Structures are given as structure tokens and as C-alpha cells.
């Protein structure tokens, strides 16, 4: 007889495949238990598959030299927690463990309901234990009965667990549909976050969280505050589609707005209830796409620009060479706007149960609405502040709802070892910004990342998220060729974001499947070039230049260095012979571009040429003309990647994002003056880019993100 209390302090680390841990046990004991030593424990396990777990544990007493090793194996016939079979074998001081004559044991755990586990175990000493465990999330209790070697009842053991979240029956089967997930999205929605000092939200995290909420039986709805949201049109469409999918299960969505434009209202219109601040305002004036032309300014300061444009729709350099839109650019921009307007009108009319004529009246006859007018017209349902959303949820659900953050959704809280083994990996690779070697998409680095992914057996498929207006053909081609090689070993799916044109389409052309949103700007298969040169700025600044040369064309790029902007401004324009040569280079690169697209899309040169000439298309038109294979967002591209990789539809996958995000945004330290943060001038950036790439043929769209400015 006696009493023993065993204390354990331990820590572990690892993932679903490999784990390690260590601990220290100290004992207070009386009677028969007196003399038991304190000890250290070291252990590890490997779970290479969903069905198998193998582990080893060593115990080392702090006194007396006693040592013990335990080897164990677990099997899950169904690949999940429903049934687990296990066995172990222990040795002590290199001999079979003689404590109670027990050297091995075997048993089973059956989880008949989430968090309710029945256990049974047989020892070679003929001792048997049986028990039951109940998990309540972050806490749990268990009781276990023990028989002696004669199969007679010996004693019970009891345990209380506090700590990591675990599956539990109360959340999944008892307390159903009593929670709303609360989102306050007064921040920027983007593809990648910096590791530090970044409060933005990523699109992929939002998509995954909404999926988790959709599958959680405790969640009855989502309440989303989009006051102050910074989101582009394409991402707003993706988020709206995901909320629409969430609603397909019978759950509800409430969206709160205060100051909203077309994009914000398009997103909000998916809601069962739109709540608008009583002092809010809404602008539904349609869309406009315009440009600021710099030709006159350049002439005034003494800078000439010679545009090398040989394709009707390739308008990237118009702002430097013209004072108004060309007919080709006007035509393609109007088509993009018409498709965007049609998309929003269709979505809003369907969700709000209004006619298309009514929507047109809102846009053409009213445009601006105060909150009370918006409610009277049926644009919104309720006037109120964000803190009144809880009352609206009660009206929708017929009972009181608790509000939780997304991180409290069950699937978001489950521990890493909730499942044995590793889910099939899908890499999501981001190609964002201008196509350049060491900036934007960082083609030099990104191509190497994709090459490594191609060799990684843990990754079963790749999704390339392209959001780029193009730029340097070399950077685009390095990444595209890496994708082409990667296709030989695993599926490569392209997900086009807001803009994937010109060099951005070059990045897309070798995808097994190209997925675009209806309002993606895609295509722009073309090449353009141009030449900036001095026509008087040097003289106005009181500067002069001089040179010597060898070679007829050596002085072509020679000239002054511009103050502030940097970059050299050549003294002269091209000669006629030089310009003929540049025309040849641009047209040759264009033919190569068209042929590469034809090869990647498995089409003829002529069929691609028919939709090239630098023309941009909406995703909808891109699907119709064969530049795009499917309409959808990032989540659809991931689903297609799963299918192409042979992964069952209901099997979870592990999303692995590349390349690694930068540590922080240097602009976060930019000082503010009177609460105003100064932003970099995009036009100045474009001038610098033009000077840095003066005379180079470029597959690019406007660098100032004018397609992002459609309002």
C-alpha cells in the first residue's frame, strides 16, 4: 500500500510527419512506491503515412543508473481517428522489463464521436485496462479501470487535461449553429504579407477561413465589416464568390458598409443583410478608365520621346507620345469596362432581386446615395452602426448568437498532430508586380524557386498566381521556362489575378490550365519600345556633355544624367537606319512571343496572332477566344490542381506558399506629416523605368497600374 504523485514537465516540437520531445518527471511517494527515482524522458516519432505511426522513448533515472527504452507502433486502418490499433515493447537495462512482468502491450482506441474515445489495452502480464476519455475542446477528463493478473478489478486512474484544443462532441453535435464569425476588414487585402509590421489580410487566408466556417456546424453565419477595406475589383469578386459558396449551405452573411463605391457595393451585395451607417454614402456611378498623358510636359521641359509602336492595341507608351487615347486603346478599354459593368450588374441584380433596368437607373439617374436614400431604393436593408449587427443576426437566426474571431473556428484551432502523416502538398507560387530580374516578380530568384519545387516530391501540383503587367522579356521567359520544365513532373495551373497581360501573359502561357476571373485583364500579347532623348532640358539646366567614341553607334545612349530621377537622357534620337533595326528587333520578339504562346496553348500561330496585336481582354472574353481555360479564382485553381494531381476531391491538401515573404516593407518607416503619409509618385517611377530600359523592346502594359484605377 502507498501513495504516489507523479509530476511531469515536458516540451515537444515537430510536425505531422516527424516529432521530438523531452520531459522531466519527479515523484513524491510513500509506502510501497517509496524509492521510485525521478527521471528524464526523451522521445521521437515518425508518421510517414496517414495509417502508420512509429515511435521510440527513452527514460533515464537521475539516480541508480536505471534506463528504459520503449518502442511502439500504431495503425489506423481507416486513415483517421475512428480506430487506432497500437502495440509497444519495453526493455530496461538491456533486458525485458520485469516490473509487474510486463514487457509488451497491445490495445485499441475507438473514437465513436468527436472527442469521445474508448480505450482498451492488454499487457503480457495479463493485466488489462479499459477506459473512456471526453474532450471539451481545451479541457478533457478520462477514467480508466485496471485489473490485476488474475483479471480481478484492481483500481481506477483519473486524469484531467488542460491545454491544446482538441475535437469535442459538444461543438460538433450538441451546440450547433450558434456562432457568427466576425471580420473587421478595414485594411488592405493582398496576396502576401510582410513578416513584420504588416496588418494587412491575405486573400488565401480569407478563402481558407471561410471554407472552415462553411464546414463548421457551430457557425451559422459571417458578419463582415468592410468599412475602409482596400481591395481591387478582381479580389472583391473572388471574396464575393467564396461568400456565395458559404451561403449555399444555408448559412447567412451580413455585411456592414459606410462609404462605398462600385467595388465595395459589388462585394456587399452578396449579403443576406446589408447594413449601412446612417451617416454613410454610396457611389454607384459606373466605371471609368482614363490616363494622364505627359507628352506636353515632356515637350515643355525639353525631353523628346519616339514611340516604336507597330501593333494596333499595344498602348503602354501612349502617355509619353500622345495627348489622347488612340482608337485601338479606346476600343479595348471600353470593352473591358463594358464587361466589368455587365458582371457587377448581373451579380447585384441576382442577389438583390432587382431588375437590370432598376440597376441602370441607380447608375445613370442617381449615382450618389445618402444612407436613407440607399435604403429607400433597396440598395441596403438596414441603417445602423457596426455594433448593431448582433441584433440583426438574432433576427436572421431566431436566437442569440455569439460572435467569434476566425481563429476560433474549430478547423483553425486543431493541433498539427490532429492527423497522422502529411497531406499532399500544393505549392502556390506568387508572380507579382512588374516582370524584372531583381524587382517585381524577381525573375532571377523566382525561376530558381520553381526549379526547386519541380524536384520536391512532397509537392504534387503547382499553382502560379500571376498579377503582373509585364516588363522585361528575359525575366518573364526565365520564369516561364522554369514552369515549362516543372510541367514535366507535376501539373502547373495558372491563376490570373487583377492583371495578367503582356509579360504577365508570358508567365501564364505554359500552364496546363489557365484560370482567370471574369474581370481579370489578360492577353496583351505584344511588344513595344521607345526612345527618350534630350530636346533642350540639358541646356535649360545649364549642363553640357562631350564625348569621344569608337564605333558608328557608340554614342546612341550617351547623354546627361537626370538629377533626382537618375538614369541617362541620351543627347540624340535614333537615325533612320537605327530605327529600322529597332523595328526589326521588336517585330522579331513579337513573333517569338506569339509562337511561344501558340506552343504553350497547343494552337496555331495564326489563331494566336488573331487575338494578339497587344490587345487586352477581360477574363470573360479571354475564355471565349481561347486565351483562358476556365473562369474562377485562386481556390478554383487549387481545386483543378488537386484533380490534375489525382488527389481525391474530399482529401485535404497542404498549401505551401512561395517564395518566402520579405521581412518588412521599408515604407513602414516613412514619416507622416500632420497625419499624412507621402506616397511615391507613380509617374516619376514610370519615367525612371523608361530611362532605365530606354530603347529595349518590352512585352509590357502600363506600369502605373492604370487597370487598377478603373472606377
Amino acid at each position: 500500500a502507498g501513495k504516489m504523485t507523479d509530476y511531469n514537465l515536458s516540451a515537444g516540437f515537430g510536425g505531422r510527419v516527424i516529432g521530438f520531445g523531452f520531459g522531466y518527471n519527479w515523484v513524491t511517494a510513500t509506502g510501497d512506491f517509496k524509492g521510485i527515482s525521478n527521471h528524464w524522458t526523451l522521445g521521437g516519432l515518425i508518421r510517414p503515412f496517414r495509417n502508420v505511426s512509429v515511435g521510440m522513448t527513452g527514460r533515464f533515472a537521475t539516480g541508480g543508473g536505471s534506463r528504459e527504452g520503449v518502442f511502439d507502433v500504431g495503425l489506423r486502418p481507416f486513415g483517421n481517428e475512428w480506430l487506432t490499433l497500437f502495440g509497444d515493447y519495453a526493455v530496461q537495462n538491456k533486458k525485458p522489463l520485469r516490473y509487474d512482468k510486463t514487457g509488451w502491450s497491445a490495445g485499441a482506441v475507438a473514437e465513436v464521436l468527436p472527442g469521445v474515445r474508448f480505450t482498451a489495452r492488454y499487457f503480457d502480464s495479463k493485466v488489462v485496462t479499459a477506459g473512456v476519455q471526453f474532450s471539451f475542446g481545451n479541457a478533457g477528463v478520462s477514467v480508466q479501470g485496471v485489473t490485476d493478473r488474475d483479471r480481478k478489478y484492481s483500481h481506477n486512474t483519473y486524469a484531467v487535461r488542460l491545454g491544446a484544443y482538441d475535437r469535442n462532441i459538444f461543438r460538433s453535435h450538441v451546440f450547433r449553429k450558434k456562432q457568427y464569425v466576425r471580420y473587421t476588414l478595414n485594411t488592405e487585402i493582398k496576396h502576401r504579407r510582410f513578416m513584420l509590421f504588416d496588418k494587412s489580410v491575405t486573400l488565401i487566408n480569407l478563402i481558407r477561413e471561410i471554407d472552415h466556417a462553411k464546414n463548421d456546424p457551430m457557425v451559422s453565419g459571417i458578419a463582415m465589416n468592410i468599412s475602409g477595406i482596400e481591395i481591387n475589383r478582381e479580389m472583391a469578386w473572388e471574396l464575393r464568390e467564396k461568400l456565395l459558396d458559404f451561403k449555399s449551405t444555408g448559412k447567412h452573411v451580413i455585411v456592414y458598409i459606410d462609404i462605398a463605391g462600385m467595388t465595395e457595393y459589388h462585394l456587399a451585395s452578396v449579403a443576406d443583410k446589408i447594413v449601412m451607417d446612417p451617416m454613410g454614402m454610396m457611389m454607384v456611378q459606373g466605371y471609368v478608365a482614363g490616363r494622364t498623358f505627359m507628352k506636353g510636359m515632356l515637350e515643355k521641359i525639353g525631353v523628346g520621346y519616339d514611340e516604336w509602336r507597330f501593333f494596333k492595341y499595344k498602348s503602354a507608351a501612349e502617355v509619353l507620345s500622345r495627348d489622347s487615347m488612340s482608337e485601338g486603346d479606346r476600343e479595348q478599354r471600353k470593352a473591358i469596362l463594358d464587361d466589368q459593368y455587365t458582371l457587377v450588374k448581373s451579380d447585384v441584380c441576382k442577389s438583390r432581386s432587382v431588375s437590370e433596368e432598376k440597376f441602370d437607373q441607380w447608375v445613370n439617374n442617381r449615382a450618389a446615395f445618402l444612407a436613407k436614400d440607399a435604403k429607400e431604393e433597396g440598395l441596403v436593408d438596414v441603417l445602423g452602426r457596426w455594433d448593431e449587427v448582433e441584433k440583426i443576426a438574432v433576427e436572421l437566426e431566431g436566437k442569440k448568437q455569439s460572435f467569434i474571431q476566425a481563429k476560433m473556428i474549430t478547423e483553425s484551432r486543431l493541433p498539427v498532430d490532429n492527423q497522422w502523416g502529411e497531406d499532399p502538398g500544393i505549392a502556390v507560387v506568387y508572380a507579382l508586380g512588374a516582370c524584372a530580374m531583381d524587382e517585381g516578380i524577381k525573375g532571377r530568384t523566382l525561376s530558381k524557386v520553381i526549379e526547386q519545387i519541380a524536384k520536391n516530391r512532397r509537392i504534387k501540383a503547382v499553382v502560379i498566381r500571376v498579377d503582373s503587367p509585364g516588363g522585361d522579356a528575359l525575366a518573364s521567359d526565365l520564369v516561364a521556362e522554369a514552369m515549362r520544365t516543372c510541367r514535366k513532373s507535376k501539373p502547373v495551373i495558372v491563376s490570373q489575378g487583377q492583371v495578367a497581360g503582356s509579360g504577365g501573359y508570358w508567365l501564364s502561357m505554359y500552364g496546363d490550365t489557365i484560370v482567370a476571373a471574369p474581370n481579370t485583364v489578360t492577353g496583351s500579347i505584344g511588344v513595344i519600345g521607345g526612345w527618350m532623348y534630350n530636346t533642350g532640358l540639358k541646356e535649360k539646366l545649364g549642363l553640357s556633355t562631350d564625348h569621344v567614341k569608337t564605333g558608328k553607334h557608340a554614342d546612341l545612349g550617351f547623354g546627361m544624367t537626370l538629377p533626382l530621377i537618375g538614369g541617362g537622357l541620351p543627347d540624340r534620337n535614333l537615325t533612320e537606319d537605327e530605327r529600322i533595326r529597332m523595328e526589326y528587333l521588336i517585330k522579331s520578339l513579337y513573333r517569338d512571343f506569339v509562337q511561344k504562346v501558340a506552343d504553350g496553348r497547343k494552337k496555331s500561330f495564326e489563331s494566336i496572332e488573331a487575338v494578339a496585336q497587344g490587345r487586352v481582354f477581360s477574363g470573360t472574353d479571354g475564355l471565349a477566344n481561347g486565351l483562358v481555360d476556365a473562369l474562377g479564382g485562386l481556390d478554383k485553381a487549387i481545386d483543378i490542381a488537386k484533380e490534375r494531381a489525382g488527389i481525391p476531391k474530399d482529401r485535404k491538401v497542404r498549401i505551401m506558399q512561395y517564395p518566402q515573404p520579405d521581412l518588412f516593407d521599408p515604407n513602414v518607416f516613412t514619416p507622416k506629416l500632420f497625419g499624412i503619409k507621402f506616397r511615391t509618385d507613380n509617374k516619376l517611377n514610370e519615367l525612371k523605368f523608361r530611362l532605365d530600359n530606354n530603347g529595349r523592346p518590352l512585352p509590357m502594359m502600363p506600369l502605373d497600374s492604370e487597370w487598377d484605377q478603373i472606377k
Side-chain angles (χ1 to χ4, degrees):
K3 180 180 179 181
M4 180 182 73
T5 305
D6 189 353
Y7 301 92
N8 188 322
L9 181 64
S10 59
F13 53 93
R16 288 183 175 176
V17 176
I18 299 177
F20 301 94
F22 63 91
Y24 181 71
N25 290 70
W26 67 98
V27 177
T28 60
T30 62
D32 294 344
F33 297 104
K34 197 169 183 179
I36 295 179
S37 298
N38 301 337
H39 61 272
W40 288 94
T41 303
L42 301 175
L45 59 82
I46 180 170
R47 292 171 171 171
F49 313 109
R50 300 170 71 187
N51 309 81
V52 179
S53 175
V54 178
M56 182 175 68
T57 305
R59 290 158 53 99
F60 308 92
T62 57
S66 175
R67 299 186 302 276
E68 177 182 284
V70 179
F71 304 87
D72 61 76
V73 61
L75 300 173
R76 284 183 167 178
F78 306 110
N80 55 35
E81 68 277 4
W82 293 349
L83 178 64
T84 304
L85 307 176
F86 64 87
D88 57 45
Y89 182 76
V91 295
Q92 186 177 41
N93 292 338
K94 300 183 181 180
K95 296 179 181 179
L97 179 65
R98 306 311 296 174
Y99 176 74
D100 223 8
K101 297 183 179 180
T102 301
W104 61 268
S105 71
V109 179
E111 188 164 344
V112 294
L113 291 170
V116 180
R117 305 180 182 99
F118 292 96
T119 65
R121 187 176 186 184
Y122 176 80
F123 295 84
D124 67 341
S125 62
K126 298 183 181 180
V127 170
V128 175
T129 66
V132 62
Q133 301 174 1
F134 294 94
S135 171
F136 310 116
N138 295 102
V141 297
S142 63
V143 58
Q144 182 174 259
V146 182
T147 71
D148 59 22
R149 66 189 63 185
D150 297 322
R151 306 288 175 83
K152 294 180 180 180
Y153 168 77
S154 173
H155 61 276
N156 289 339
T157 61
Y158 303 90
V160 175
R161 181 188 66 85
L162 297 173
Y165 189 83
D166 194 6
R167 297 179 296 273
N168 70 94
I169 187 174
F170 294 95
R171 184 172 183 87
S172 58
H173 285 73
V174 180
F175 303 123
R176 300 174 65 88
K177 288 193 174 182
K178 286 194 174 183
Q179 293 180 338
Y180 262 62
V181 181
R182 186 201 309 265
Y183 284 98
T184 303
L185 298 179
N186 57 341
T187 186
E188 183 181 1
I189 312 300
K190 57 187 183 181
H191 293 299
R192 307 299 311 272
R193 295 178 70 243
F194 293 99
M195 296 174 67
L196 300 174
F197 313 120
D198 192 343
K199 296 181 180 180
S200 62
V201 175
T202 63
L203 176 67
I204 196 167
N205 280 349
L206 271 177
I207 288 171
R208 286 192 290 187
E209 288 171 357
I210 294 171
D211 268 336
H212 292 169
K214 172 187 172 183
N215 298 325
D216 193 329
M218 277 289 287
V219 173
S220 52
I222 287 175
M224 187 172 285
N225 181 347
I226 62 171
S227 169
I229 192 172
E230 296 179 45
I231 188 170
N232 67 41
R233 302 180 324 279
E234 190 276 334
M235 284 189 181
W237 178 83
E238 286 200 50
L239 180 54
R240 189 184 192 279
E241 288 293 297
K242 183 52 63 176
L243 290 172
L244 200 61
D245 178 60
F246 173 84
K247 287 178 58 179
S248 68
T249 61
K251 299 183 179 185
H252 296 121
V253 173
I254 302 172
V255 174
Y256 169 83
I257 57 177
D258 50 16
I259 308 299
M262 290 288 288
T263 297
E264 294 80 11
Y265 185 64
H266 183 209
L267 172 56
S269 66
V270 73
D272 296 282
K273 295 289 182 181
I274 302 178
V275 184
M276 188 173 188
D277 192 282
M279 295 304 294
M281 185 174 181
M282 187 180 298
M283 296 291 292
V284 286
Q285 76 276 39
Y287 293 97
V288 63
R291 311 184 73 176
T292 299
F293 295 86
M294 294 186 283
K295 177 185 177 183
M297 180 194 75
L298 295 178
E299 289 175 349
K300 286 180 181 290
I301 65 175
V303 176
Y305 186 76
D306 185 12
E307 181 186 25
W308 305 334
R309 177 176 178 177
F310 307 105
F311 310 107
K312 178 179 179 181
Y313 299 101
K314 199 64 183 172
S315 61
E318 279 191 6
V319 293
L320 303 175
S321 62
R322 299 176 58 92
D323 53 20
S324 62
M325 287 184 190
S326 65
E327 287 306 309
D329 196 35
R330 189 179 300 277
E331 177 187 345
Q332 64 183 350
R333 286 172 181 268
K334 184 62 166 63
I336 292 283
L337 291 190
D338 288 345
D339 283 352
Q340 173 68 15
Y341 184 84
T342 299
L343 172 68
V344 173
K345 178 164 68 172
S346 175
D347 285 346
V348 170
C349 291
K350 185 175 181 180
S351 293
R352 300 298 298 169
S353 299
V354 298
S355 67
E356 293 190 354
E357 291 75 18
K358 182 72 169 177
F359 183 88
D360 290 336
Q361 289 175 13
W362 288 344
V363 172
N364 297 320
N365 298 343
R366 300 288 294 276
F369 296 84
L370 295 175
K372 61 182 181 63
D373 300 323
K375 185 175 184 302
E376 289 174 2
E377 283 290 318
L379 279 88
V380 303
D381 301 294
V382 181
L383 300 185
R385 295 268 155 88
W386 172 236
D387 56 9
E388 297 176 55
V389 166
E390 294 186 16
K391 298 177 183 177
I392 298 165
V394 173
E395 294 173 4
L396 266 177
E397 307 301 336
K399 55 187 175 183
K400 184 174 176 58
Q401 302 289 306
S402 60
F403 280 67
I404 64 170
Q405 301 298 317
K407 63 183 180 181
M408 299 302 291
I409 302 171
T410 298
E411 197 165 350
S412 300
R413 301 174 68 191
L414 289 173
V416 172
D417 63 351
N418 180 61
Q419 172 189 302
W420 289 3
E422 194 171 64
D423 290 320
I426 290 184
V428 175
V429 182
Y430 295 94
L432 310 176
C435 293
M437 294 297 284
D438 300 302
E439 296 177 305
I441 69 167
K442 298 181 180 178
R444 198 186 313 272
T445 300
L446 189 59
S447 60
K448 293 178 181 178
V449 167
I450 296 173
E451 289 170 4
Q452 292 301 313
I453 289 172
K455 300 173 185 177
N456 191 334
R457 295 183 179 180
R458 298 159 60 201
I459 296 173
K460 307 304 180 185
V462 184
V463 173
I464 310 288
R465 177 68 171 193
V466 178
D467 210 326
S468 171
D472 183 356
L474 175 59
S476 301
D477 200 55
L478 278 176
V479 175
E481 284 299 323
M483 291 169 58
R484 192 178 195 177
T485 301
C486 190
R487 276 179 66 178
K488 298 176 182 177
S489 59
K490 57 198 67 178
V492 176
I493 311 302
V494 172
S495 170
Q496 295 186 333
Q498 171 86 339
V499 178
S502 202
Y505 195 85
W506 197 310
L507 295 172
S508 307
M509 62 191 181
Y510 291 139
D512 293 291
T513 303
I514 298 177
V515 182
N519 53 359
T520 293
V521 177
T522 187
S524 192
I525 300 168
V527 182
I528 197 167
W531 186 254
M532 274 188 180
Y533 60 98
N534 178 60
T535 59
L537 177 61
K538 180 176 68 174
E539 292 73 18
K540 291 177 182 178
L541 294 175
L543 300 175
S544 62
T545 57
D546 200 358
H547 67 273
V548 294
K549 69 175 183 177
T550 57
K552 181 178 178 180
H553 308 286
D555 66 329
L556 180 57
F558 176 79
M560 63 177 284
T561 298
L562 284 175
L564 300 179
I565 296 177
L569 184 65
D571 282 343
R572 68 173 179 86
N573 197 356
L574 275 66
T575 65
E576 186 62 27
D577 289 344
E578 290 168 338
R579 199 175 191 281
I580 290 172
R581 181 62 181 169
M582 292 310 303
E583 179 178 349
Y584 167 78
L585 294 178
I586 289 173
K587 290 182 176 180
S588 294
L589 182 57
Y590 172 74
R591 286 192 296 272
D592 289 344
F593 191 178
V594 173
Q595 187 61 59
K596 285 175 179 286
V597 174
D599 293 343
R601 304 297 294 151
K602 295 181 172 58
K603 295 178 180 291
S604 67
F605 182 95
E606 292 74 21
S607 65
I608 298 300
E609 164 70 10
V611 293
Q613 292 288 319
R615 176 154 188 172
V616 293
F617 300 93
S618 68
T620 302
D621 285 344
L623 179 65
N625 63 32
L627 293 179
V628 169
D629 298 303
L631 294 182
L634 184 56
D635 61 331
K636 180 161 186 175
I638 292 172
D639 287 342
I640 293 173
K642 285 177 62 176
E643 181 182 356
R644 294 293 298 270
I647 302 170
K649 188 174 182 180
D650 58 349
R651 178 75 188 272
K652 293 180 182 178
V653 293
R654 183 168 48 97
I655 301 299
M656 306 162 70
Q657 300 183 66
Y658 298 92
Q660 290 298 315
D662 292 334
L663 188 62
F664 62 86
D665 180 2
N667 292 327
V668 76
F669 301 112
T670 303
K672 294 182 180 180
L673 183 62
F674 304 117
I676 300 173
K677 189 168 185 176
F678 294 97
R679 298 180 180 270
T680 304
D681 189 310
N682 285 330
K683 292 298 181 187
L684 201 61
N685 282 340
E686 177 159 358
L687 283 173
K688 186 178 186 308
F689 180 87
R690 295 289 181 182
L691 287 170
D692 290 342
N693 293 276
N694 210 16
R696 294 186 62 190
L698 298 172
M700 62 173 288
M701 295 171 63
L703 280 184
D704 56 0
S705 301
E706 289 167 356
W707 295 108
D708 291 341
Q709 307 304 315
I710 295 176
K711 297 180 179 178

